[in-house]
Amino acid sequence: MKLAGLKSVENAHDDSVWAATWVPATETRSALLLTGSLDETVRLWSSDELVLERTNTGHCLGVASVAAHPSGLIAASASLDSFVRVFDVDTNATIATLEAPPSEVWQLRFNPQGSTLAVAGGGSASIKLWDTATWDLIATLPIPRPEGPKPSDKSGSKKFVLSVAWSSDGKRLACGSMDGTISIFDVARAKFLHHLEGHFMPVRSLVYSPIEPRLLFTASDDMHVHMYDAEGKSLVGAMSGHESWVLSVDVSPDGAAIATGSSDRTVRLWDLSMRAAVQTMSNHTDQVWGVAFRPPGGSGVRTGRLASVSDDKSISLYDYS
Amino acid sequence: MEKTEEESEEAVLKRLEESVNACPDDPSLHFDLGVLLWEKGGKSEKEKAAEHFVISAKLHPQNGAAFRYLGLYYAQVSADTQRALKCYQRAVSLNPDDSHSGEALCDLLDQQGKESLEASLCREASAKSPKAFWAFRRLGFLQLHQNKWSEAVQSLQHAIRGYPTSADLWQALGLAYQRLGRFTAAVKSYGRAIELDDTDVFALVESGNIFLMLGSFKKGVEQFLQALDISPQSVSAQYGLASGLLGLAEECINLGAFRWGASLLEEASSVAKAGTHLAGNISCIWKLHGDIQLAYAKCFPWTEQGQGLEFDAEAFNASILYWKQTCCIAAVSAKRSYQRALHLAPWQANIYTDIAIASDLISSLNKSYGNNLNAWQLSAKMALGALLLEGDNNEFWVALGCLSDHNALKQHALIRGLQLDVSLAVGWAYLGKLYRKEGAKQLAKQAFDCARSIDPSLSLPWAGMSADFHARNLAPDEAFESCLRAVQILPLAEFQIGLAKLALLSGHLSSSRVHGAILQAVQHAPHSPESHNLNGLVCESRFDYQSAAAAYRRARCAISSCSASISKSYTRDISLNLARSLSKAGNATDALLECEDLKKEGMLDAEGLQIYAFSLWQLGKQDLALSFVRNLAASVSTMEQKFVVASVSFICRMLYCIPGLDSAINSILKMPEKLFQNSRVSFIVSAIHALDQSNRLESVVSSSRSFVQSPVEVAGMHFLIALSKLVKQGTEFCLGVQSGIAHLRKALHMFPNSSLMRNLLGYLLLSSKEWNDTHVATRCCNIDASDSANKVGLKSASEILGAGAVACYAIGNKNRKFSFPTCTYQCLKEPGAIQQLQKCLRQEPWNHNFRYLLILNFIQKAREERFPHNLCVVLKRLISVALSSDLYTKTDMSYQKFQLLLCASEISLQSEDNIGCINHAKNASTLLLPDDYLFFSHLQLCRAYAAESDSLNLQKEYIRCLELKTDYHIGWICLKFIELRYNVQNDTNILELSFKESSKERNYSWNMGMAVFNLVWGLISLRNEDFLSAEEFLAQACSLAGAESCLLLCHGATCMELARKLCDSKFLLLAVKSLTKAQETSVIPLPIVSALLAQAEGSLNSKEKWEKNIRLEWFSWPPEMRPAELFFQMHLLARQSKSVSISSSNVELCQSPQRWILRAIHTNPSCTRYWKVLGRFDLIQRS
């Protein structure tokens, strides 16, 4: 397996690009790359040439996270002022605006079934679930404190929730916090199951394997990528190699490899069978905030694609094979 | 050689082995052998050595060294850590000072992670021996590692005694002190570490951080720069440098030096940016960068582009746009940087507040809320974000209170903040501001008072206090002071504008503090018309009308580009201000344009009409101006009271200026009398009245004068009355100086302190051309008064003194070496005019009048001293400097130029440069001046030609003089002198006639003039040896002049000569009479007088009187100037007294007659008479 650089767009945004995700292909068009940036815009790019399709404005602060519905029809973007905009991918019509108190929206993810949007609740130390049909709040899943609430510690800052991920079957939800703990929830019962220990610095990104619903990959500021058996509450493997914070992680559609982006300005490809980095891409000149594998599907596209976005305002596209 | 050494070593080894074999129980032999083998270095040898060490240690278990070697062996050779540990432990416990074993032991323990064991071991060793410095060092580092700061300090201090040059120890000590909060000690320790090792980046950075914490940013910045020199990639040094620069910049900004601050911030920003490139994922660097950019956005000052005189609205708007854009870009950059910081560390609550503040600044700069889809405003929302994370932080509550738009929420937030901390001064202050805005004055006052009592160094409460000074019953002065305090604490544009407004109310507008403040306000609020308008007012009060006009133009331009609606009256006020300052700056055309614009919009009020009329008048459109004056006059009755005075004054003045005196008087008589019931109007009316010979305004003036009340005003009115008397009592050609003097003398009696009147009196006295008035003039002015009081009036006291000194040669003459003044006005006690004028000239080197007077005084002095060379040189230079000035090209200065040229001519004449003299005098004669004056230039030419013995030209100039004529009798006298002296051909007696004509008007001076005229005649007769007629002339002179000792002396001397020639005792009696009178009248004893008198009395056989007079003569000479004859006379006197032998108190008895003779001969050895007398003495002695 290897990555080969295909295309790179310098100055794709006016400022740092912070988030990237793929909008799955629909009948009428192929998959699109969705990026969010500090310049308060969200942009849509068509692959493989990375032609700018549209620029969505409307956020007052930098866009910290973007998410795409599995249908490929709608997408959501969230900015630092905790303002979530859900819009039609093709028309840019606003479908809903979800407002939360500031500091209480961080990462967004649609569940694989497309019925729910999970929002990492930042300072509220919880995950909020929104119904994608009515755009009502379905549930709030709070993270319990390990030692019970302390009266002196009023601030919830210890459990600031940064990241969220759905299992491939949609039954489990994992979230990463700034203190390094990972919490697993049972979605159907809206119940907290357990913590996964191992990281001791913020977990900024996590992702379930598309093949194995138990397998969870996490990226943390402690420069490690962990592989957990989420059900078994156990650390399966720890992979080191990045020289700075690991900011993002994504699993390849075949479940055989993961890609990570890091503050050390590199993108690494890890072979899961070898549990080691097989390739390091250092084409970015600043920290890499997002990596995303293109989901399979669409008209005649069989080859794998990986996109990475960085503080250097550029987007890079690689061929994954 | 080596070989032998080796061999010998071998031999020693062998010998030792033998001896060991010989006595296997001697541990020291085993040890020595072991050491020897160990040194050889091979593995097998080391093993052998180890065996010997083991034996040695067994035999002598107190030998620590053996254990040390064993430890070394186990650690290095056989890698048996446990045994090595034990051996080392034994070695250390036997000899705690053994640093080698100790270090090795600790290293081993460290490798195994047994930190506590290591610590206890070190503690044990250090307790055993104070010299175990290695243990102290280890212990210190360990304690430092375990954050036991105070214990670490002790251990490290002890360790430093053992290793005083170890930079690491000093560094560690510095760190321990720093953590304990003992910053000065920490700085010293770090400083020592840097001294020992100047590449110690850690010490540099940490001491820099301490400096920043202590607020000495400059020192901190230096440390960081040094650290960056060594390690340019050090992020912490870059962070420190950037924050140090930020601190410096904030200091500058608080002082009001915005441009300086901005440049520092630019530097800081680039450093911080470099830091983010090195470490892009450190949230605090991004936050620092945001802080720097935010400070930059707040402090970047507006600068005017295009410094030309012409106001360019486009350039102005462009410069404002540029300023706004720069601020906006910085603010946006700040917001971006904060967002990056937040993205990296979203759990840090304060960054939310930072973003809130930055976005609030951006929206206030843009004034648009544009694409905000939220119901919440972004800034308030982000402030709330901080609170969600840390709800118990009172500062966040205050921030929310400031940033929110809803007053209810504001109040709630501020009160919550105060609930958390009741002594939060900022909270109280903002609460006060909120209440004030809502109109709850009483609550606002309480809140502000509360804030001020908690923290008097907060500016907002002071500003709030001054803002509602009406409600607080504060005097405008107090309000101004408290606002000034607010501005001094924090140079905020709003405060500064408020300060200028209060200054307007309290009359401090021209204070430079207000000027500085408003200039700063303009830099930060260039888009606000108010700041420009106030700037204009401040400039105007400082008499800088050009800048004021420019400021008003900017203000108007700012209004037009301002989106908010501004009341029409405000626009009108600014236009009026503009017109007024333009008019004051002398730019009547533009002022007129402004007035016309105002008129078109129908907003021309009383003030506008005045400016309009005035500008028209300045531009020569008399009729139009007059019609506007009439309009103004018609509207006086409906005017507000405060405008009436100014309007009436203006109307009167314009009426006088345009149609003339009569029309002005008629109009005044028509106006109702109550309009004139004001002191300021009274002055105008009085001035007009002064010019009116027929006194038509008598009643108006007298009624309005009763409103002149304050002492200063009354003095001013007397000044005006005195001037009016000059005009009214004078003839067509001559001012009535005497009546003015009389009035001032009376008035001065009431206001003895008024320098205004004193100076005018002095000036008038000087102008009166009367004989003695010049002396009075110099005495009535007070030159000791402070400078400010000295300047009032038409002439300053020093100028009067200088002019008076020129008029009388005796003033300021202290040196009796040169002359014996006979002036009876006793001016000798006056301070030297020359000194006084030099003082003045030093104070005001630009004042030409002082220089001019100084030159005249110098001429006087030079004349008195018979034109010594050095004075002539000084004068020449002074005159050439004065004449080179452009000032004297003006026609109104030509009299002064004339005088200076005559002075130059005189100096040339005296230094025997006749050509120069003639040139200067000719120059002078070409000036455009009345004949009166030109006479003197031709007189000077006469003198010059006379000196050249050019009788042809002399004759010509003489005739010219006769043609020109002069009023000054001294001129005629001089001319007469020349005529007689050089036998100029003269057929008529025009001269005598003109002379008599000229001096008719002055009664006393006429006598004096005639006397001098007669003196000239007499002197000429004397020269012609016509003693009889000379006596006649001089007798006449004496009778005319009264008691003038100089004339009397001449007369007396002539009589004596006549008596000698004709042997007529009648003349002797006459001589006695004149000389006695001369003796009586002279202020200081005149020489010769007494001698002559003695001679006369002697001739009349009155020996007693002869003696008395000779003695008097002795004292009337200054000691160094006594002539030989006087000594001779004293000898005679001494001989007389000797024979009679009266009391010894007489002066002649101080030495013998012979010595008197000797002194006479010494003074004048050429006189045979003295020698003869001396010879007689010799004869007497010999006999």
Side-chain angles (χ1 to χ4, degrees):
Chain A
M1 72 187 48
K2 75 178 181 74
L3 289 176
L6 282 180
K7 171 108 181 137
S8 194
V9 184
E10 301 296 325
N11 294 320
H13 278 271
D14 298 339
D15 214 322
S16 305
V17 193
W18 277 351
T21 197
W22 287 92
V23 182
T26 59
E27 284 97 46
T28 51
R29 56 155 172 78
S30 57
L32 296 172
L33 182 65
L34 188 66
T35 56
S37 157
L38 173 57
D39 66 6
E40 299 163 14
T41 61
V42 172
R43 288 183 178 175
L44 273 166
W45 311 81
S46 67
S47 65
D48 277 340
E49 288 307 309
L50 291 181
V51 177
L52 178 62
E53 294 275 302
R54 196 171 54 242
T55 302
N56 299 348
T57 57
H59 285 289
C60 290
L61 288 178
V63 178
S65 175
V66 288
H69 195 266
S71 70
L73 293 174
I74 58 175
S77 59
S79 58
L80 289 181
D81 55 348
S82 299
F83 169 75
V84 181
R85 176 169 179 266
V86 184
F87 57 96
D88 187 294
V89 174
D90 293 318
T91 64
N92 190 27
T94 302
I95 292 166
T97 55
L98 313 175
E99 199 184 346
S103 88
E104 297 198 353
V105 170
W106 212 245
Q107 212 175 20
L108 309 168
R109 285 288 175 264
F110 284 98
N111 67 346
Q113 291 68 39
S115 61
T116 314
L117 176 67
V119 177
S124 68
S126 63
I127 298 172
K128 295 205 161 76
L129 299 181
W130 298 80
D131 189 309
T132 55
T134 59
W135 298 111
D136 289 331
L137 186 67
I138 306 168
T140 301
L141 309 176
I143 300 171
R145 291 168 190 281
E147 310 102 50
K150 270 190 245 167
S152 64
D153 183 23
K154 275 188 214 163
S155 65
S157 63
K158 291 289 172 214
K159 279 291 183 195
F160 196 98
V161 182
L162 285 163
S163 52
V164 67
W166 292 94
S167 65
S168 55
D169 55 9
K171 288 179 181 159
R172 292 287 182 266
L173 201 56
C175 72
S177 319
M178 65 91 41
D179 62 351
T181 54
I182 293 150
S183 313
I184 307 295
F185 292 90
D186 180 350
V187 180
R189 293 185 293 151
K191 193 168 175 278
F192 169 75
L193 295 177
H194 51 253
H195 287 303
L196 299 177
E197 310 286 343
H199 286 301
F200 56 91
M201 281 175 82
V203 176
R204 289 180 192 272
S205 177
L206 33 71
V207 65
Y208 272 99
S209 162
I211 311 299
E212 271 301 328
R214 293 172 69 114
L215 205 56
L216 179 71
F217 302 98
T218 59
S220 162
D221 286 359
D222 61 14
M223 307 199 272
H224 283 82
V225 179
H226 284 182
M227 189 159 68
Y228 288 98
D229 172 10
E231 297 298 304
K233 206 182 168 184
S234 60
L235 176 62
V236 178
M239 290 174 279
S240 63
H242 278 299
E243 288 155 21
S244 187
W245 304 354
V246 189
L247 298 174
S248 61
V249 60
D250 199 17
V251 195
S252 68
D254 56 9
I258 59 170
T260 53
S262 158
S263 282
D264 65 9
R265 304 171 183 188
T266 60
V267 174
R268 280 174 194 249
L269 185 70
W270 309 77
D271 186 337
L272 289 178
S273 55
M274 292 159 68
R275 292 192 186 179
V278 288
Q279 202 171 357
T280 304
M281 310 298 290
S282 39
N283 54 323
H284 284 296
T285 57
D286 211 335
Q287 46 193 350
V288 181
W289 274 108
V291 287
F293 280 103
R294 188 171 68 181
S299 53
V301 180
R302 290 282 167 263
T303 47
R305 289 283 181 269
L306 175 72
S308 65
V309 294
S310 156
D311 255 356
D312 64 6
K313 308 177 196 172
S314 71
I315 303 175
S316 288
L317 188 68
Y318 315 91
D319 175 72
Y320 165 71
S321 54
Chain B
M1 190 68 190
E2 271 179 22
K3 210 156 193 192
T4 53
E5 215 169 68
E6 226 166 73
E7 275 167 17
S8 72
E9 219 169 75
E10 286 292 315
V12 170
L13 193 65
K14 222 162 228 172
R15 212 177 325 128
L16 260 178
E17 272 175 352
E18 279 164 13
S19 50
V20 165
N21 287 337
C23 4
D25 292 344
D26 189 342
S28 64
L29 282 176
H30 278 288
F31 179 73
D32 289 347
L33 183 60
V35 170
L36 215 59
L37 283 166
W38 184 264
E39 307 268 279
K40 289 195 85 169
K43 192 171 176 184
S44 57
E45 274 96 349
K46 281 194 176 170
E47 273 170 5
K48 266 189 205 162
E51 281 168 21
H52 286 289
F53 285 138
V54 169
I55 296 166
S56 164
K58 266 186 194 154
L59 291 171
H60 178 58
Q62 306 305 314
N63 185 357
F67 285 104
R68 185 177 71 209
Y69 277 109
L70 275 173
L72 258 176
Y73 168 73
Y74 288 126
Q76 287 178 2
V77 183
S78 66
D80 186 346
T81 324
Q82 287 309 317
R83 279 196 179 163
L85 273 177
K86 273 181 188 153
C87 289
Y88 279 138
Q89 237 161 357
R90 188 67 186 267
V92 170
S93 63
L94 286 172
N95 178 14
D97 297 348
D98 181 355
S99 66
H100 186 269
S101 308
E103 292 288 348
L105 177 59
C106 288
D107 283 345
L108 282 175
L109 286 173
D110 212 36
Q111 278 164 19
Q112 296 177 348
K114 294 173 179 166
E115 216 170 81
S116 55
L117 200 62
E118 196 183 341
S120 67
L121 186 104
C122 291
R123 205 166 286 131
E124 202 175 298
S126 60
K128 266 189 197 162
S129 160
K131 280 188 182 171
F133 296 116
W134 66 269
F136 283 106
R137 182 166 66 183
R138 272 280 166 173
L139 191 59
F141 286 142
L142 279 170
Q143 283 162 339
L144 208 61
H145 186 63
Q146 292 161 355
N147 298 357
K148 295 173 179 167
W149 312 115
S150 53
E151 291 160 42
V153 165
Q154 285 181 352
S155 308
L156 289 167
Q157 274 176 339
H158 200 106
I160 281 172
R161 270 176 234 156
Y163 308 98
T165 57
S166 161
D168 288 346
L169 279 174
W170 283 107
Q171 193 193 62
L173 183 63
L175 181 65
Y177 277 134
Q178 188 183 358
R179 292 286 187 271
L180 283 172
R182 294 165 65 181
F183 294 120
T184 39
V187 165
K188 274 184 193 159
S189 304
Y190 283 134
R192 186 89 184 99
I194 295 163
E195 258 175 52
L196 293 168
D197 173 14
D198 59 2
T199 60
D200 191 344
V201 176
F202 178 82
L204 282 170
V205 168
E206 286 304 316
S207 54
N209 282 335
I210 293 172
F211 281 130
L212 293 198
M213 198 176 341
L214 296 176
S216 37
F217 299 109
K218 195 120 209 168
K219 280 189 192 164
V221 164
E222 276 167 23
Q223 301 280 324
F224 289 123
L225 282 175
Q226 206 179 329
L228 279 177
D229 263 355
I230 300 158
S231 159
Q233 301 292 308
S234 162
V235 177
S236 53
Q238 271 172 339
Y239 182 83
L241 180 59
S243 47
L245 287 171
L246 175 63
L248 269 182
E250 271 164 0
E251 272 182 357
C252 289
I253 292 163
N254 281 340
L255 287 175
F258 300 123
R259 208 152 291 148
W260 184 8
S263 71
L264 281 171
L265 285 172
E266 279 162 20
E267 204 180 324
S269 172
S270 68
V271 174
K273 195 88 203 172
T276 62
H277 283 308
L278 286 174
N281 60 356
I282 298 180
S283 162
C284 63
I285 299 184
W286 284 109
K287 176 171 156 49
L288 177 66
H289 186 251
D291 287 345
I292 291 167
Q293 289 291 338
L294 190 67
Y296 189 71
K298 280 182 182 168
C299 95
F300 182 75
W302 171 76
T303 41
E304 198 186 352
Q305 287 165 344
Q307 297 292 322
L309 283 172
E310 287 300 307
F311 177 74
D312 185 355
E314 237 169 66
F316 173 70
N317 283 333
S319 70
I320 286 190
L321 200 66
Y322 170 74
W323 169 77
K324 259 191 188 170
Q325 273 173 351
T326 313
C327 290
C328 227
I329 287 169
V332 168
S333 158
K335 191 171 143 191
R336 289 266 163 91
S337 293
Y338 285 138
Q339 286 183 60
R340 283 170 193 269
L342 185 69
H343 192 223
L344 288 161
W347 49 87
Q348 278 186 359
N350 55 337
I351 305 178
Y352 288 89
T353 321
D354 290 331
I355 294 181
I357 292 168
S359 40
D360 184 57
L361 182 66
I362 292 170
S363 66
S364 77
L365 282 169
N366 287 336
K367 291 270 184 242
S368 62
Y369 306 101
N371 42 17
N372 192 351
L373 300 175
N374 304 5
W376 280 83
Q377 212 195 311
L378 180 64
S379 50
K381 185 171 175 182
M382 294 309 283
L384 202 63
L387 277 175
L388 282 173
L389 288 173
E390 279 180 45
D392 56 345
N393 189 321
N394 47 34
E395 285 177 16
F396 294 163
W397 282 108
V398 173
L400 178 63
C402 294
L403 296 168
S404 168
D405 262 354
H406 305 277
N407 284 346
L409 179 62
K410 269 177 177 259
Q411 187 179 351
H412 171 75
L414 290 170
I415 288 175
R416 275 306 298 271
L418 288 172
Q419 276 174 349
L420 289 166
D421 178 6
V422 78
S423 62
L424 193 67
V426 198
W428 284 112
Y430 280 113
L431 197 60
K433 190 180 168 190
L434 179 67
Y435 284 140
R436 206 183 107 71
K437 213 162 104 190
E438 287 186 335
K441 285 270 162 68
Q442 197 54 36
L443 284 172
K445 178 173 183 279
Q446 280 170 3
F448 279 138
D449 286 348
C450 206
R452 211 179 58 239
S453 61
I454 294 166
D455 183 4
S457 69
L458 206 65
S459 61
L460 184 56
W462 291 104
M465 203 171 109
S466 64
D468 39 37
F469 69 99
H470 283 307
R472 285 169 181 252
N473 297 324
L474 277 180
D477 267 349
E478 279 175 77
F480 175 76
E481 284 301 324
S482 64
C483 194
L484 189 65
R485 188 178 296 246
V487 167
Q488 277 166 351
I489 297 168
L490 191 68
L492 211 65
E494 285 88 342
F495 295 170
Q496 287 160 339
I497 289 174
L499 180 72
K501 279 185 184 165
L502 285 170
L504 188 63
L505 287 175
S506 59
H508 288 98
L509 211 53
S510 57
S511 148
S512 58
R513 286 181 296 190
V514 179
H515 187 225
I518 198 71
L519 284 182
Q520 287 176 6
V522 168
Q523 284 183 343
H524 274 172
H527 52 289
S528 122
E530 185 133 41
S531 64
H532 289 295
N533 186 28
L534 286 166
N535 184 20
L537 286 173
V538 169
C539 285
E540 213 176 312
S541 73
R542 301 168 69 87
F543 309 109
D544 183 359
Y545 301 120
Q546 297 280 4
S547 319
Y552 293 134
R553 280 193 203 278
R554 283 198 290 270
R556 222 167 41 176
C557 193
I559 287 186
S560 62
S561 57
C562 186
S563 51
S565 65
I566 279 171
S567 74
K568 238 181 167 186
S569 70
Y570 188 61
T571 320
R572 187 207 53 206
D573 287 347
I574 291 176
S575 293
L576 254 184
N577 286 343
L578 176 58
R580 190 183 58 239
S581 61
L582 280 171
S583 167
K584 278 182 183 169
N587 190 349
T589 330
D590 285 357
L592 194 64
L593 284 177
E594 289 302 323
C595 289
E596 271 163 8
D597 284 350
L598 273 174
K599 194 185 161 202
K600 263 181 221 155
E601 291 176 44
M603 292 193 292
L604 211 58
D605 63 353
E607 199 188 351
L609 270 172
Q610 286 177 30
I611 298 165
Y612 201 175
F614 184 69
S615 310
L616 282 169
W617 175 68
Q618 273 186 319
L619 292 172
K621 298 176 183 168
Q622 313 275 3
D623 298 340
L624 216 50
L626 201 60
S627 74
F628 277 107
V629 170
R630 299 244 156 78
N631 283 354
L632 186 64
S635 66
V636 163
S637 52
T638 60
M639 228 176 261
E640 272 182 70
Q641 190 55 39
K642 60 179 179 176
F643 291 128
V644 168
V645 172
S647 298
V648 170
S649 308
F650 180 75
I651 292 166
C652 294
R653 292 178 67 171
M654 286 312 282
L655 283 176
Y656 173 73
C657 289
I658 303 171
L661 186 64
D662 287 332
S663 144
I665 287 171
N666 287 336
S667 309
I668 289 170
L669 287 173
K670 272 183 222 156
M671 283 197 246
E673 204 161 286
K674 70 172 178 24
L675 290 181
F676 302 104
Q677 290 171 349
N678 181 286
S679 61
R680 279 158 66 197
V681 181
S682 175
F683 271 96
I684 307 263
V685 177
S686 296
I688 293 175
H689 174 61
L691 295 168
D692 174 31
Q693 292 293 351
S694 45
N695 289 342
R696 279 168 286 179
L697 288 176
E698 192 72 59
S699 64
V700 178
V701 167
S702 60
S703 76
S704 78
R705 267 185 196 158
S706 58
F707 290 89
V708 179
Q709 265 154 356
S710 81
V712 178
E713 280 182 332
V714 176
M717 188 48 90
H718 278 298
F719 185 87
L720 186 58
I721 292 170
L723 288 178
S724 79
K725 292 216 164 159
L726 289 187
V727 178
K728 285 201 175 171
Q729 316 281 323
T731 60
E732 195 180 346
F733 301 108
C734 188
L735 292 171
V737 175
Q738 290 305 333
S739 53
I741 291 173
H743 180 85
L744 280 176
R745 281 192 166 146
K746 262 184 267 165
L748 201 59
H749 191 64
M750 281 184 282
F751 298 96
N753 284 329
S754 163
S755 10
L756 182 74
M757 279 198 274
R758 276 183 180 277
N759 289 351
L760 182 67
L761 180 59
Y763 186 37
L764 291 182
L765 283 170
L766 275 182
S767 334
S768 76
K769 296 188 188 171
E770 281 292 343
W771 186 257
N772 58 342
D773 281 352
T774 51
H775 304 95
V776 185
T778 51
R779 270 182 292 170
C780 78
C781 297
N782 183 13
I783 56 163
D784 295 330
S786 66
D787 282 340
S788 58
N790 225 333
K791 295 261 166 55
V792 294
L794 298 167
K795 294 279 171 189
S796 74
S798 303
E799 284 173 309
I800 287 161
L801 172 72
V806 177
C808 174
Y809 70 98
I811 292 178
N813 178 5
K814 276 183 185 155
N815 195 343
R816 285 182 54 202
K817 207 163 81 182
F818 300 109
S819 69
F820 302 92
T822 59
C823 181
T824 48
Y825 293 99
Q826 294 170 342
C827 312
L828 300 176
K829 290 183 202 87
E830 296 282 339
I834 289 183
Q835 279 82 343
Q836 181 62 29
L837 285 170
Q838 285 182 46
K839 263 188 227 166
C840 295
L841 194 63
R842 186 170 166 271
Q843 276 170 10
E844 297 173 36
W846 55 88
N847 191 326
H848 289 279
N849 213 14
F850 285 141
R851 175 167 287 130
Y852 169 70
L853 287 171
L854 182 65
I855 289 170
L856 293 189
N857 272 289
F858 252 117
I859 281 275
Q860 200 75 296
K861 184 181 157 88
R863 177 171 293 131
E864 184 190 348
E865 298 181 11
R866 319 279 185 278
F867 294 97
H869 179 68
N870 59 334
L871 273 185
C872 287
V873 172
V874 169
L875 270 166
K876 264 184 195 161
R877 287 180 50 188
L878 272 175
I879 292 169
S880 72
V881 166
L883 281 175
S884 64
S885 158
D886 295 338
L887 198 74
Y888 292 112
T889 53
K890 288 189 215 154
T891 47
D892 59 335
M893 296 296 283
S894 53
Y895 175 70
Q896 269 90 334
K897 189 178 182 185
F898 180 75
Q899 283 286 12
L900 288 173
L901 282 170
L902 283 191
C903 287
S905 160
E906 181 67 24
I907 295 292
S908 302
L909 185 67
Q910 297 297 341
S911 36
E912 295 175 1
D913 173 13
N914 286 334
I915 298 166
C917 169
I918 291 167
N919 286 341
H920 284 304
K922 276 191 172 156
N923 260 346
S925 70
T926 57
L927 290 172
L928 285 172
L929 279 171
D931 292 349
D932 251 9
Y933 300 141
L934 286 180
F935 176 91
F936 286 93
S937 67
H938 291 283
L939 183 65
Q940 182 71 11
L941 280 171
C942 286
R943 294 177 62 205
Y945 288 127
E948 279 209 316
S949 328
D950 180 351
S951 58
L952 208 67
N953 275 324
L954 175 59
Q955 183 75 30
K956 232 192 271 171
E957 293 300 330
Y958 175 79
I959 303 295
R960 184 87 186 106
C961 282
L962 287 185
E963 283 164 14
L964 285 169
K965 296 195 176 146
T966 182
D967 265 354
Y968 298 91
H969 47 245
I970 191 72
W972 292 117
I973 291 166
C974 291
L975 194 64
K976 184 72 198 170
F977 191 84
I978 289 168
E979 178 201 308
L980 295 173
R981 174 78 172 73
Y982 296 100
N983 297 321
V984 181
Q985 304 299 313
N986 182 21
D987 313 329
T988 58
N989 57 347
I990 304 170
L991 204 157
E992 280 78 6
L993 286 177
S994 317
F995 173 72
K996 276 173 188 150
E997 184 79 15
S998 77
S999 40
K1000 231 184 220 166
E1001 286 149 19
R1002 312 182 184 87
N1003 8 358
Y1004 181 74
S1005 303
W1006 183 81
N1007 286 341
M1008 208 59 202
M1010 278 312 289
V1012 179
F1013 200 67
N1014 279 315
L1015 173 69
V1016 170
W1017 272 109
L1019 289 177
I1020 297 297
S1021 306
L1022 278 181
R1023 178 178 284 272
N1024 299 337
E1025 305 204 341
D1026 179 1
F1027 292 102
L1028 274 172
S1029 51
E1031 194 274 337
E1032 261 172 50
F1033 282 123
L1034 290 170
Q1036 209 174 345
C1038 288
S1039 72
L1040 279 166
E1044 171 57 51
S1045 44
C1046 203
L1047 291 175
L1048 288 166
L1049 171 61
C1050 281
H1051 184 242
T1054 317
C1055 288
M1056 290 286 286
E1057 187 64 24
L1058 274 173
R1060 192 176 66 84
K1061 286 235 161 101
L1062 304 177
C1063 299
D1064 190 342
S1065 65
K1066 180 183 83 182
F1067 287 109
L1068 262 185
L1069 285 174
L1070 272 176
V1072 169
K1073 198 177 143 198
S1074 286
L1075 290 169
T1076 317
K1077 210 171 172 190
Q1079 207 175 40
E1080 280 164 3
T1081 52
S1082 62
V1083 184
I1084 51 169
L1086 276 184
I1088 316 280
V1089 174
S1090 301
L1092 285 175
L1093 191 56
Q1095 217 178 340
E1097 295 284 2
S1099 310
L1100 289 171
N1101 293 328
S1102 170
K1103 191 175 159 195
E1104 209 175 305
K1105 283 188 182 165
W1106 174 77
E1107 280 177 12
K1108 192 187 87 189
N1109 279 311
I1110 289 289
R1111 268 180 219 125
L1112 275 178
E1113 180 69 13
W1114 172 259
F1115 290 110
S1116 54
W1117 285 93
E1120 71 277 8
M1121 290 179 70
R1122 285 179 182 127
E1125 184 61 24
L1126 186 57
F1127 293 113
F1128 184 73
Q1129 293 291 331
M1130 290 307 286
H1131 137 255
L1132 290 177
L1133 187 61
R1135 268 173 53 187
Q1136 287 294 324
S1137 316
K1138 210 176 185 184
S1139 51
V1140 180
S1141 80
I1142 331 168
S1143 65
S1144 60
S1145 64
N1146 289 335
V1147 64
E1148 66 273 10
L1149 296 178
C1150 62
Q1151 37 194 324
S1152 69
Q1154 193 180 359
R1155 287 202 65 83
W1156 282 119
I1157 283 292
L1158 284 173
R1159 278 182 72 178
I1161 293 172
H1162 183 76
T1163 327
N1164 183 6
S1166 65
C1167 185
T1168 47
R1169 247 167 79 223
Y1170 308 155
W1171 289 106
K1172 272 186 204 155
V1173 173
L1174 187 65
R1176 225 177 289 151
F1177 267 106
D1178 284 347
L1179 283 178
I1180 292 167
Q1181 274 181 352
R1182 267 181 219 151
S1183 65

